[in-house]
Amino acid sequence: MSTTIAATPSGRAFISDNMAGASPQIARAVADAATGQVLPYGNDPYTERARRRLGEIFERDVDIFPVSTGSAANGLSLAALTPPWGSVLSHPDSHINHDECGAPEFFTGGSKLVDVAGPDTKVDPGPLKKAVRRRAGDVHSVQPSVLSISQATESGSVYTLDEIRALSAISKDAGLRVHMDGARFANALVHLGATPAEMTWKAGVDVLSFGATKNGAMTADAIVSFEPAVTAELAFRAKRAGQLTSKMRFQTAQIDAYLTDGLWLDNARQANAMATRLGDGLKAIPDTGLLAVPQANIVFCRLPQRVTEALLAEGYAFYHDRWEPGTVRFVTAFSHSAEDIDQLLDAVQRHTR
């Protein structure tokens, strides 16, 4: 179900960080890429710079495949890691399970998504130990093939480095590969204070869906592969899926600008800080209930129905009808300011009196 919000002021838009525009540096990079003649299909200096920058931040050579959406990044990544008779293990509330209209099954040719539960929207090691061995070798059953974890998760929680290492070790011991859905990769990274290498391949991740669109880019995400054995397959799958763009420079110019001078980390810090500010403020308002301390840029809380209705009437945009009655979600973005958050908190406080 789609939600149409007409002319929502930027300071009142909390449905998703997808509502935010682009960082000026990225917009300028796209404009700069619009001049001159370069070779198509990624054989251009913009793509080479983006590849080099990603290699630098991940501290090793990587293969990159720019894509237009996070769904394409996830679907293609899983397809390269999973046979059609395989299964993808993921949390029941993961994005691939709830919000991609069967794209993983489509891209993989029919592999099955298998739920592995855990608190805080994170896969729990106990159930995972059972899931990776479930009916392995039984020709009558799908075969456990890949673990997919979201970093940050759909509830805004963040896997610690130890948790990623533990889940990867369980998976690798059973012969599974590991995929990370990093739609909000930068938000998780700055929360942990870790390096990109520590949070991915050094912890056992084979392929990463590297998100940029939610954090200041326009239409650019990427698949980052740390496993050379799947590179050729990813290349052919990307082409077959219509994701090998002729003017790839407009995507990779965004990624290059995104990574230049730490812009991606600055944007994530701002988004996270605004979520923390909002969470702290909500805790001080009677009749509201913070469901979890935000670790990234997502805030879940409970609001009385009258407060939700009053905020909507004032032009605030946020999800409020997808979970249990009274549960709402606010997502902060790099473009939100402290003033935006304080005005929202003032509105909540006014309507709770």
Side-chain angles (χ1 to χ4, degrees):
M1 183 180 72
S2 62
T3 300
T4 301
I5 303 294
T8 302
S10 60
R12 298 192 176 191
F14 293 94
I15 281 183
S16 171
D17 33 12
N18 285 322
M19 294 186 76
S23 291
Q25 300 93 320
I26 291 175
R28 286 194 296 270
V30 172
D32 291 344
T35 61
Q37 301 280 330
V38 299
L39 290 171
Y41 300 110
N43 299 299
D44 60 81
Y46 303 94
T47 301
E48 178 54 35
R49 279 203 303 270
R51 182 178 292 109
R52 187 170 61 249
R53 287 196 192 280
L54 283 166
E56 289 170 355
I57 70 166
F58 285 106
E59 304 172 35
R60 57 171 288 175
D61 289 338
V62 297
D63 294 304
I64 69 163
F65 302 89
V67 293
S68 57
T69 68
S71 293
N74 286 337
L76 289 169
S77 296
L78 294 172
L81 298 172
T82 316
W85 56 88
S87 62
V88 178
L89 310 182
S90 65
H91 194 277
D93 292 326
S94 65
H95 195 82
I96 62 171
N97 208 18
H98 271 297
D99 294 288
E100 292 190 339
C101 194
E105 294 92 334
F106 170 77
F107 278 105
T108 59
S111 68
K112 186 176 182 178
L113 299 186
V114 173
D115 292 347
V116 184
D120 300 324
T121 327
K122 297 192 285 189
V123 171
D124 185 83
L128 180 63
K129 289 178 181 178
K130 297 178 180 179
V132 297
R133 305 286 181 183
R134 184 178 184 275
R135 301 187 72 172
D138 184 349
V139 73
H140 299 284
S141 178
V142 290
Q143 297 299 288
S145 299
V146 61
L147 168 68
S148 180
I149 60 174
S150 301
Q151 183 73 326
T153 73
E154 291 301 290
S155 65
S157 59
V158 174
Y159 286 93
T160 67
L161 296 183
D162 284 343
E163 287 172 333
I164 299 172
R165 294 186 195 107
L167 296 175
S168 295
I170 293 168
S171 302
K172 296 296 178 69
D173 185 59
L176 280 69
R177 286 167 164 162
V178 179
H179 164 255
M180 177 178 284
D181 177 355
R184 295 185 174 93
F185 183 84
N187 302 92
L189 192 72
V190 298
H191 170 75
L192 292 178
T195 69
E198 289 171 338
M199 203 169 77
T200 54
W201 64 271
K202 287 185 176 181
V205 174
D206 296 297
V207 177
L208 165 71
S209 296
F210 183 74
T213 301
K214 295 179 185 294
N215 194 40
M218 294 179 179
T219 55
D221 288 349
I223 300 168
V224 178
S225 174
F226 309 107
E227 177 49 74
V230 302
T231 295
E233 183 171 347
L234 277 168
F236 282 106
R237 285 188 177 277
K239 172 61 179 178
R240 190 168 182 263
Q243 291 294 323
L244 178 64
T245 54
S246 60
K247 294 185 179 180
M248 190 183 290
R249 67 184 184 271
F250 290 113
Q251 292 170 304
T252 50
Q254 292 180 62
I255 295 171
D256 180 38
Y258 181 65
L259 299 173
T260 298
D261 297 328
L263 174 64
W264 64 304
L265 301 177
D266 290 341
N267 282 359
R269 290 188 188 99
Q270 176 65 14
N272 286 12
M274 294 304 96
T276 298
R277 189 182 189 95
L278 178 57
D280 289 344
L282 288 170
K283 286 189 291 187
I285 299 175
D287 296 329
T288 67
L290 197 64
L291 298 185
V293 176
Q295 295 182 316
N297 63 319
I298 299 175
V299 178
F300 275 92
C301 68
R302 293 193 182 278
L303 293 180
Q305 184 62 27
R306 70 181 189 280
V307 177
T308 296
E309 292 174 357
L311 292 175
L312 294 171
E314 288 188 15
Y316 282 98
F318 54 94
Y319 280 130
H320 56 92
D321 54 359
R322 288 191 163 195
W323 305 276
E324 296 178 2
T327 298
V328 304
R329 186 189 80 169
F330 297 105
V331 182
T332 55
F334 71 96
S335 55
H336 282 125
S337 66
E339 182 180 5
D340 295 330
I341 303 304
D342 292 346
Q343 288 178 352
L344 172 57
L345 289 169
D346 286 344
V348 172
Q349 192 159 37
R350 275 191 284 109
H351 296 300
T352 54
R353 292 170 183 162

